[in-house]
Amino acid sequence: MKKMLVVSTVSLLFAAAAFCQPPKAPPPEHAGPPLPRHAVTNRAFTGISSLAVAPNGRLWVTWYAGHTPGEDRNNYVVLATSGDGGATWKELLTVDPDGGGQRRTFDPEVWIAPDGRLRWIWSDRTMPHSGVSSDAIWMIVLDDPASESTAWHSPVYVTQGVMMCKPIVLSSGEWALPVCTWYSENSSKMVVSTDNGKTWSVRGGANMPREDRCFDEHMFVERKDGSIWCLSRAKSGIREAVSTDRGATWSPLEPSPIQHPSARFFITRLLSGNLLLVKHGPIEKKTGRSHLMAFVSKDDGRRWEGGLMLDERNGVSYPDGQQAADGTIYITYDFDRIGKRHILFSTFREEDVLAGKPVSGAVRLRQIVSEGSGGAERPKPQVNANADGAPLAAGGAGLLAAEVLDLVAFKAGVTLFTDRSYTLAEVPDALKDARFLRVSMDGPKTLRCTRAGMVAVLTPLPERNSDSVSKALLEQGFQKVRLPEVRLFDPANPRNFCTLFQKRCAEGETVTFGKWGLPLFYGK
């Protein structure tokens, strides 16, 4: 059933696309023009965008939002369009599964398929999250993406999982969706249609090692030799696998030489035949969610050239985009999801990327698509006093060391880690004369005591952050200190509130921990 842009309660068309298990939840309560509750002035959260360009240059951007400040049951997806190159935008459609109920819609994607129609895809989940079975991918087809008044079809269920990265068209003509089933076996799946989107089936999936599983957010590239390259998000950054049988079987997902935080990236084939990669920071350096940069590869991803800076600010993330027929590249991303609440896009050309600076005249950076405001206030997190800890013992200062690591004064504004751009937000009076060892946030650390005495490590408690190393520290004889939590960086985010653990070390003793802790020392 086609619809012009009118509000409706939609019906499910299982026969068109369903496979595997049917969805556990019914179609969304609302799919149509935004309702008053979806007003841009009632958004405490805005983020995770995707962009597509119609043949006539009309732009389409989707993201998800909510009136509460987080990724929660109040999320709904938004579809906006611009017919003037992004100067002005109009929000045409929202999908909201049940208003204030327990379901959320999230992680949307837009894609111009080979048939010329726009696919708007998102996931539906019942909260609290109970595993793969509660994630359902849905799709709306818009007939004429060149027109703001295009007819559109009712939502259709596709499969279980989440799909938040661009589909590709294989040289065989098959359409391939990068569907992930988080924290499960063979989670970086390829879901294929051999009949131009009428039906879909799982062809195969790459398996993420259990210890590195998180939100796959994988992308596919068909290489010139016919193999398919899969790049997948992992806890450690990016892992990669290859299929030589059209996606049926995959090599193990191994660590990629492309250094990256655990966050979404974007890769696509350009009109020139080269590859475009948009990621955080230089190819060989792992940063945080900052320094969004574009690179080009002329040899199918073996080497990367150029490096055009799109946005260096902390809090930029989740790039997605498309190259238009005239060669202009459009990239969308989000910034400061519960603060500024910006959805943005940038434009440039391949020659700008290779030059590492604007040379084409097509570069436009930090262009606003949407700026959310209002909504519910975020509760202010309370700092734990750690009253059950031992007294701070600053006397008899010891020292931990490792090769090629800097010992730095613990001062506000200093960079904390070698593989992140996070800076120290606050310094309690009790630690104002301390120094710290600038280690990497990721990966295992082994430090040797080069001077006997008291040493300390700052790390979040497990209830604050699953990456806490407090258990490893306690097993090595550290004690929790009776000192209020330190808001180490991003002071509004309680995941970064750190507790101090201390230990008296003997010279030559080693201390080991993983992600993430910050070694701290008193005195000179």
Side-chain angles (χ1 to χ4, degrees):
M1 183 172 67
K2 296 183 181 179
K3 297 183 181 296
M4 303 308 285
L5 294 175
V6 295
V7 178
S8 64
T9 300
V10 298
S11 61
L12 177 63
L13 305 177
F14 281 112
F19 76 93
C20 302
Q21 298 296 317
K24 291 190 174 182
E29 173 188 283
H30 171 79
L35 301 175
R37 67 175 181 254
H38 303 141
V40 71
T41 53
N42 189 32
R43 290 180 185 164
F45 175 88
T46 299
I48 301 87
S49 58
S50 171
L51 179 148
V53 189
N56 69 340
R58 174 170 289 278
L59 301 176
W60 295 87
V61 173
T62 184
W63 64 93
Y64 71 90
H67 72 271
T68 46
E71 301 176 39
D72 59 28
R73 64 182 180 84
N74 296 300
N75 296 144
Y76 56 89
V77 294
V78 182
L79 181 66
T81 189
S82 173
D84 56 12
T88 59
W89 292 86
K90 181 177 181 180
E91 295 187 6
L92 291 183
L93 297 171
T94 58
V95 173
D96 192 341
D98 60 357
Q102 294 302 309
R103 288 167 61 194
R104 64 186 288 240
T105 50
F106 65 105
D107 285 0
E109 183 72 33
V110 280
W111 177 55
I112 305 288
D115 62 4
R117 299 195 294 175
L118 181 76
R119 264 67 178 182
W120 182 29
I121 307 164
W122 68 89
S123 290
D124 184 305
R125 172 181 293 172
T126 299
M127 302 295 284
H129 186 217
S130 58
V132 173
S133 63
S134 73
D135 292 339
I137 297 174
W138 293 75
M139 178 188 296
I140 282 177
V141 177
L142 289 86
D143 286 339
D144 182 15
S147 172
E148 176 185 315
S149 58
T150 176
W152 55 279
H153 297 251
S154 298
V156 173
Y157 170 70
V158 180
T159 185
Q160 291 176 340
V162 175
M163 197 212 82
M164 60 178 311
C165 295
K166 278 283 186 287
I168 67 168
V169 180
L170 303 178
S171 56
S172 60
E174 298 165 311
W175 302 3
L177 308 181
V179 172
C180 32
T181 51
W182 298 344
Y183 296 96
S184 67
E185 297 297 301
N186 303 317
S187 54
S188 294
K189 289 179 169 56
M190 176 179 280
V191 174
V192 175
S193 176
T194 60
D195 54 12
N196 298 324
K198 295 183 179 65
T199 60
W200 300 91
S201 61
V202 176
R203 177 163 291 175
N207 194 47
M208 182 69 68
R210 187 175 298 274
E211 68 276 8
D212 218 10
R213 289 177 182 172
C214 64
F215 319 113
D216 298 48
E217 298 172 0
H218 58 296
M219 296 198 72
F220 298 122
V221 171
E222 185 175 17
R223 287 173 160 163
K224 294 174 183 178
D225 64 3
S227 64
I228 301 172
W229 186 27
C230 174
L231 295 169
S232 187
R233 175 184 173 182
K235 283 184 179 179
S236 60
I238 297 176
R239 284 181 176 257
E240 57 183 36
V242 175
S243 173
T244 57
D245 56 7
R246 321 294 306 155
T249 61
W250 294 85
S251 65
L253 278 164
E254 300 288 354
S256 170
I258 300 170
Q259 296 300 299
H260 204 253
S262 183
R264 188 169 80 170
F265 50 89
F266 176 72
I267 189 168
T268 192
R269 180 79 65 185
L270 297 174
L271 298 173
S272 65
N274 297 330
L275 294 179
L276 173 77
L277 174 66
V278 181
K279 68 174 293 287
H280 294 287
I283 294 294
E284 72 286 351
K285 183 178 180 181
K286 182 177 289 189
T287 68
R289 293 189 178 187
S290 66
H291 297 84
L292 205 60
M293 301 180 69
F295 300 88
V296 164
S297 174
K298 298 176 181 177
D299 57 6
D300 262 2
R302 293 172 181 84
R303 293 168 297 184
W304 296 92
E305 301 179 36
L308 180 66
M309 182 66 72
L310 305 182
D311 199 326
E312 74 281 0
R313 295 174 293 176
N314 284 319
V316 294
S317 63
Y318 277 52
D320 183 88
Q322 182 188 325
Q323 186 176 32
D326 67 359
T328 303
I329 299 166
Y330 293 82
I331 295 293
T332 184
Y333 60 97
D334 60 48
F335 171 62
D336 197 10
R337 295 173 183 173
I338 60 173
K340 295 293 187 182
R341 288 162 264 184
H342 285 177
I343 301 298
L344 304 111
F345 77 97
S346 294
T347 68
F348 50 92
R349 298 179 68 88
E350 184 174 353
E351 53 261 43
D352 302 306
V353 178
L354 288 168
K357 61 182 179 180
V359 294
S360 70
V363 175
R364 291 187 293 157
L365 304 180
R366 300 189 187 182
Q367 304 296 298
I368 293 284
V369 176
S370 177
E371 184 174 14
S373 63
E377 286 191 19
R378 185 179 188 179
K380 293 181 179 176
Q382 299 299 307
V383 170
N384 292 332
N386 290 324
D388 58 339
L392 178 66
L399 189 64
L400 295 174
E403 292 184 6
V404 202
L405 290 179
D406 296 328
L407 195 59
V408 185
F410 196 65
K411 303 291 185 183
V414 70
T415 301
L416 291 165
F417 301 99
T418 60
D419 58 350
R420 297 290 194 277
S421 58
Y422 304 142
T423 57
L424 180 58
E426 69 174 17
V427 180
D429 286 343
L431 302 178
K432 65 181 181 180
D433 295 323
R435 295 179 295 163
F436 71 96
L437 199 60
R438 186 181 284 139
V439 297
S440 63
M441 174 176 274
D442 289 323
K445 271 77 70 175
T446 298
L447 308 176
R448 186 171 57 86
C449 182
T450 57
R451 183 178 67 206
M454 191 64 67
V455 299
V457 177
L458 280 165
T459 189
L461 293 174
E463 56 266 32
R464 291 290 197 197
N465 194 315
S466 61
D467 290 321
S468 168
V469 296
S470 59
K471 182 175 183 291
L473 295 174
L474 292 170
E475 290 173 347
Q476 295 172 81
F478 281 80
Q479 289 182 301
K480 183 166 75 170
V481 176
R482 190 183 307 149
L483 181 74
E485 289 176 306
V486 179
R487 294 176 294 185
L488 199 63
F489 58 90
D490 188 10
N493 187 348
R495 285 174 52 82
N496 306 320
F497 289 10
C498 289
T499 291
L500 191 69
F501 291 80
Q502 66 185 12
K503 174 184 177 179
R504 192 168 297 280
C505 276
E507 186 172 346
E509 187 176 355
T510 59
V511 172
T512 62
F513 55 88
K515 179 184 178 181
W516 54 271
L518 190 74
L520 200 71
F521 315 99
Y522 316 114
K524 300 297 184 183

